[in-house]
Amino acid sequence: MRGCFLDAGSMGDALNWDELNGAIDDWQWYHNTTREQVGDRIAGMDIVITNKVVLDAAVLEAADNLKLICVAATGFNNVDTQAAAHCDIPVVNVTGYATPAVSQHVLALMLAHATRWASYDTAVKRGDWAASEFFCLLDYPIEELAGQTLGLIGHGELGQAVARLAEAFGMTVLVGERPGAREIREGRVAIGELLERSDMISLHCPLTDDTRHLIDADALARMKNSAFLINTARGAIVDTQALIAALEAGEIGGAALDVLDQEPPPANHPLLDPAIPNLIVTPHSAWGSRGARQRMLEGVAANIHAFIDGGIRNQVN
């Protein structure tokens, strides 16, 4: 069988590729692939691996030999899964590989907001501590996570892992019901109630028609003016302009984003403006521990082995 990895460079370095390399005999490894190159590169391939390269209906319908699409991620919104199903091409993803990495990143963002360590680091390097008449600086308000309420939108493996960490810090956890649900299941609360009650809100839901711009101007207005929003899911779940307006107006206490609605973002992306107050942005790096990336490769290899053996793992379409 022949296969290609369209954006293997997105996996970074210092990984062991032996298991994936041995899954089939003939591989083409591409550092990255532009939209214009996709059709030519997947032509004649039995298996295609993509992390974020888009596979739309046009390229899938032209790929006569394609038998399996492996998404090297949990989110698969870069693949037209309906078109793939129409072409009888299963699409499979990898789940659970980044749980320790993402959950600790979420907690780090929560702690960064609570402790204001970045502001204090800047102050020390600026000379403020050296100029102080006291032994300490307390120029920026420090909060404790203990006693605060964390609202989770998305309660799969990642959301549950974040909940365990939050509870270890003495937080109360609310779990939001799925957007648009007609009934509220036991142990969950309506999204509106979660927005109103939470001191911190962390997003762990997939990007779907129901969740696109779920956090819009109305949702932000319902949040406490001290609330802190964290998004490590997908950028388009949050309305960019509404978030900027809420931060600039002091409508919420702050936000931390590991994902944006364009990735990589253009240099002039509005959320990269350093003048926006109380905003932390990290470059979609929450998933990127070496351990998580290695587990990802092993998960893709396991999906391919299962397919060759006549089975299927983690099919999403």
Side-chain angles (χ1 to χ4, degrees):
M1 299 188 80
R2 301 183 65 207
C4 67
F5 196 152
L6 294 173
D7 49 352
S10 66
M11 299 302 297
D13 53 14
L15 299 179
N16 184 336
W17 290 74
D18 291 349
E19 187 171 349
L20 181 57
N21 192 43
I24 61 175
D25 296 328
D26 188 354
W27 280 111
Q28 293 292 322
W29 308 105
Y30 297 108
H31 180 75
N32 202 4
T33 299
T34 67
R35 185 179 292 271
E36 294 74 23
Q37 294 171 324
V38 173
D40 288 340
R41 291 186 173 181
I42 70 173
M45 294 295 168
D46 299 285
I47 297 172
V48 169
I49 305 173
T50 175
N51 187 336
K52 296 294 181 288
V53 173
V54 173
L55 298 178
D56 59 23
V59 298
L60 293 177
E61 289 167 2
D64 295 335
N65 199 56
L66 188 56
K67 300 175 178 66
L68 180 69
I69 297 170
C70 294
V71 180
T74 300
F76 47 87
N77 53 290
N78 56 312
V79 178
D80 188 329
T81 54
Q82 290 186 341
H86 179 73
C87 297
D88 294 323
I89 306 169
V91 180
V92 297
N93 69 346
V94 183
T95 60
Y97 67 95
T99 301
V102 175
S103 58
Q104 76 175 15
H105 192 90
V106 172
L107 191 70
L109 294 172
M110 293 164 62
L111 289 168
H113 176 70
T115 63
R116 301 295 296 273
W117 67 262
S119 297
Y120 280 109
D121 179 65
T122 299
V124 169
K125 293 173 180 175
R126 191 170 55 220
D128 294 9
W129 193 18
S132 175
E133 61 178 313
F134 298 112
F135 72 97
C136 62
L137 283 181
L138 294 174
D139 294 352
Y140 305 98
I142 300 170
E143 301 175 1
E144 298 174 352
L145 296 185
Q148 294 200 44
T149 297
L150 171 66
L152 295 174
I153 300 179
H155 196 237
E157 183 167 339
L158 279 173
Q160 293 173 41
V162 171
R164 290 192 294 270
L165 294 177
E167 288 168 346
F169 273 77
M171 300 185 77
T172 298
V173 176
L174 298 178
V175 179
E177 186 52 88
R178 290 190 180 95
R182 295 182 179 180
E183 297 182 0
I184 308 299
R185 288 170 285 174
E186 183 177 355
R188 303 203 175 205
V189 299
I191 295 295
E193 180 181 348
L194 181 144
L195 293 170
E196 294 169 359
R197 291 176 55 188
S198 298
D199 299 296
M200 296 189 172
I201 296 172
S202 190
L203 307 179
H204 299 284
C205 52
L207 177 61
T208 66
D209 291 340
D210 288 332
T211 63
R212 184 176 298 274
H213 286 188
L214 176 67
I215 306 301
D216 57 9
D218 290 339
L220 291 162
R222 298 186 72 168
M223 292 167 59
K224 297 179 180 181
N225 60 15
S226 58
F228 185 60
L229 175 69
I230 303 165
N231 187 11
T232 56
R234 287 291 183 266
I237 297 171
V238 178
D239 182 326
T240 291
Q241 295 301 329
L243 177 61
I244 293 172
L247 290 169
E248 291 180 338
E251 197 171 54
I252 64 172
L257 310 174
D258 187 56
V259 287
L260 298 181
D261 53 5
Q262 293 176 269
E263 294 179 348
N268 64 348
H269 191 288
L271 283 168
L272 300 184
D273 184 349
I276 300 173
N278 301 318
L279 175 63
I280 300 170
V281 179
T282 55
H284 206 142
S285 56
W287 73 285
S289 71
R290 181 177 178 181
R293 290 181 288 121
Q294 187 64 54
R295 289 189 293 271
M296 165 60 73
L297 290 183
E298 293 166 359
V300 173
N303 286 342
I304 293 172
H305 284 304
F307 179 75
I308 291 173
D309 291 341
I312 198 76
R313 293 177 75 249
N314 301 331
Q315 185 169 356
V316 299
N317 67 332

